[in-house]
Amino acid sequence: LGCAHYQRNVKIQANCCGKIFPCRVCHDEACDHPIIRQEIKNMLCMHCKTLQPASQTCKQCGIQASRYYCSKCKLWDGDVKNHTYHCDECGICRNGPKENFFHCKTCNVCMTISMKNNHRCIERSLESDCPICGEYMFTSRTTVTFMPCGHCIHKPCYTTYSQTSYQCPTCLKSMTDMTDYFNFLDQELSQQTMPSQYKHVTSHIFCNDCEKRSETDYHFFYHKCCHCKSYNTTILKTTDGRTTEAPR
C-alpha cells in the first residue's frame, strides 16, 4: 500500500485544506500550495478507513501504519530498503543509515562521514535551489552531490550537466580533478601555432579555480593560468603590444 513516493498503510489529512492524500508529495503535486508536514494532525487507515490522530498504529484495527514513523515530521515510511532517521539539527528526516552521516553545523546539512573535515563549508549551502532543475534542495527527496567548491547540485542533474561542462554552474570552479584534461590541452597547444598577426597579442585572464589574474599569449580558445596551471579561465581583455586594441 501507499503511493509512488512512500510505502505505508495510512493516508494523511492535510491540515491546510482538510483533504486526504497518500503523502505530502502527492498533496503538493495536486494543490497550488505546499503542505506544512509538521502541522498534520490526522491519518486515515487504508485497511479499516478510520480517520484518527496521527500515530504509528491504527487505534481501530491495530495494524502498524509503517515500519518507520516520525512524530515530529509526520512521516511514515514502510520501505525496508530505507534507513530513515530524524535529524534535530536539520529539523527533518533524512535517509540513512544514521551512523554513516554527520551534521555539519556550518553547511546545516547531514553529509556522509567521508566528507567530515574533508569538504569546503558554505553557510547553509543546501538551503537553495538546484542550479539546473530549480528544485529546492534542502527538503528534496533527490540525492544531492557536493562539489569540491562547496556548492551542491542534484546528483541526476550533475550526471547530465557534467557531460557537457566541467564548471560549477554557480561559481564556475572546476567540478572535479581536471589534471589529465589540462595536460591533454598542453600537448594539443604545443602542436598548434597561432597566425603571425597574433604573436604580439596578450590575454589578460582571470582564473576561476585559483581566483588570480595573470597574462598569457592570446589563443582562440584556451588560456592557461600561470599560477595554478588551470585552463578554467576567463578573458578580461586583450592587448596588442603594437596597438591599443587587439584583434578579436
Side-chain angles (χ1 to χ4, degrees), residues 87-125:
C87 175
D88 286 325
E89 292 177 287
C90 283
I92 59 175
C93 290
R94 297 292 190 190
N95 194 18
K98 184 176 182 179
E99 59 270 19
N100 292 347
F101 292 82
F102 78 101
H103 184 89
C104 175
K105 295 183 181 296
T106 302
C107 298
N108 191 36
V109 66
C110 289
M111 298 178 171
T112 58
I113 291 295
S114 62
M115 296 183 68
K116 193 170 186 177
N117 302 319
N118 189 33
H119 71 281
R120 181 179 180 182
C121 286
I122 294 181
E123 188 173 358
R124 311 178 81 87
S125 60

Side-chain angles (χ1 to χ4, degrees), residues 112-196:
T112 58
I113 291 295
S114 62
M115 296 183 68
K116 193 170 186 177
N117 302 319
N118 189 33
H119 71 281
R120 181 179 180 182
C121 286
I122 294 181
E123 188 173 358
R124 311 178 81 87
S125 60
L126 201 62
E127 297 178 39
S128 59
D129 296 336
C130 173
I132 302 301
C133 71
E135 182 185 2
Y136 187 59
M137 291 184 288
F138 188 77
T139 54
S140 173
R141 298 177 68 246
T142 304
T143 302
V144 170
T145 293
F146 285 85
M147 294 174 283
C149 59
H151 293 113
C152 45
I153 182 175
H154 280 142
K155 188 174 182 178
C157 295
Y158 174 88
T159 300
T160 302
Y161 175 77
S162 60
Q163 293 176 1
T164 57
S165 178
Y166 64 83
Q167 294 176 309
C168 167
T170 301
C171 69
L172 300 182
K173 291 185 181 299
S174 297
M175 297 190 298
T176 187
D177 184 358
M178 299 301 297
T179 301
D180 289 343
Y181 177 65
F182 292 157
N183 287 338
F184 167 76
L185 291 182
D186 282 340
Q187 296 176 10
E188 287 293 303
L189 294 181
S190 67
Q191 301 174 25
Q192 297 178 9
T193 302
M194 287 291 289
S196 59

Side-chain angles (χ1 to χ4, degrees), residues 22-241:
C23 75
R24 65 176 183 86
V25 182
C26 290
H27 170 278
D28 290 352
E29 289 178 348
C31 299
D32 59 0
H33 58 278
I35 196 171
I36 302 177
R37 67 174 81 179
Q38 292 82 358
E39 294 182 357
I40 296 173
K41 295 181 174 61
N42 297 321
M43 67 179 190
L44 177 71
C45 177
M46 295 187 191
H47 289 267
C48 66
K49 312 302 181 185
T50 301
L51 186 65
Q52 58 195 286
S55 68
Q56 190 167 13
T57 305
C58 174
K59 68 177 183 180
Q60 182 66 25
C61 66
I63 196 168
Q64 188 179 54
S66 64
R67 182 188 59 81
Y68 173 85
Y69 170 64
C70 177
S71 59
K72 296 178 180 178
C73 293
K74 297 300 187 295
L75 173 65
W76 294 262
D77 188 4
D79 192 337
V80 295
K81 298 190 299 294
N82 293 338
H83 302 276
T84 313
Y85 69 96
H86 181 86
C87 175
D88 286 325
E89 292 177 287
C90 283
I92 59 175
C93 290
R94 297 292 190 190
N95 194 18
K98 184 176 182 179
E99 59 270 19
N100 292 347
F101 292 82
F102 78 101
H103 184 89
C104 175
K105 295 183 181 296
T106 302
C107 298
N108 191 36
V109 66
C110 289
M111 298 178 171
T112 58
I113 291 295
S114 62
M115 296 183 68
K116 193 170 186 177
N117 302 319
N118 189 33
H119 71 281
R120 181 179 180 182
C121 286
I122 294 181
E123 188 173 358
R124 311 178 81 87
S125 60
L126 201 62
E127 297 178 39
S128 59
D129 296 336
C130 173
I132 302 301
C133 71
E135 182 185 2
Y136 187 59
M137 291 184 288
F138 188 77
T139 54
S140 173
R141 298 177 68 246
T142 304
T143 302
V144 170
T145 293
F146 285 85
M147 294 174 283
C149 59
H151 293 113
C152 45
I153 182 175
H154 280 142
K155 188 174 182 178
C157 295
Y158 174 88
T159 300
T160 302
Y161 175 77
S162 60
Q163 293 176 1
T164 57
S165 178
Y166 64 83
Q167 294 176 309
C168 167
T170 301
C171 69
L172 300 182
K173 291 185 181 299
S174 297
M175 297 190 298
T176 187
D177 184 358
M178 299 301 297
T179 301
D180 289 343
Y181 177 65
F182 292 157
N183 287 338
F184 167 76
L185 291 182
D186 282 340
Q187 296 176 10
E188 287 293 303
L189 294 181
S190 67
Q191 301 174 25
Q192 297 178 9
T193 302
M194 287 291 289
S196 59
Q197 64 264 38
Y198 292 96
K199 66 179 181 180
H200 298 288
V201 181
T202 298
S203 291
H204 302 257
I205 61 174
F206 174 81
C207 179
N208 295 312
D209 286 333
C210 71
E211 300 182 3
K212 294 181 180 180
R213 300 188 180 202
S214 59
E215 298 177 2
T216 187
D217 293 338
Y218 176 77
H219 190 270
F220 291 136
F221 303 110
Y222 305 109
H223 297 84
K224 185 175 183 178
C225 172
C226 68
H227 301 288
C228 69
K229 313 307 179 184
S230 169
Y231 281 96
N232 182 10
T233 58
T234 300
I235 299 178
L236 300 177
K237 66 176 181 177
T238 56
T239 55
D240 191 319

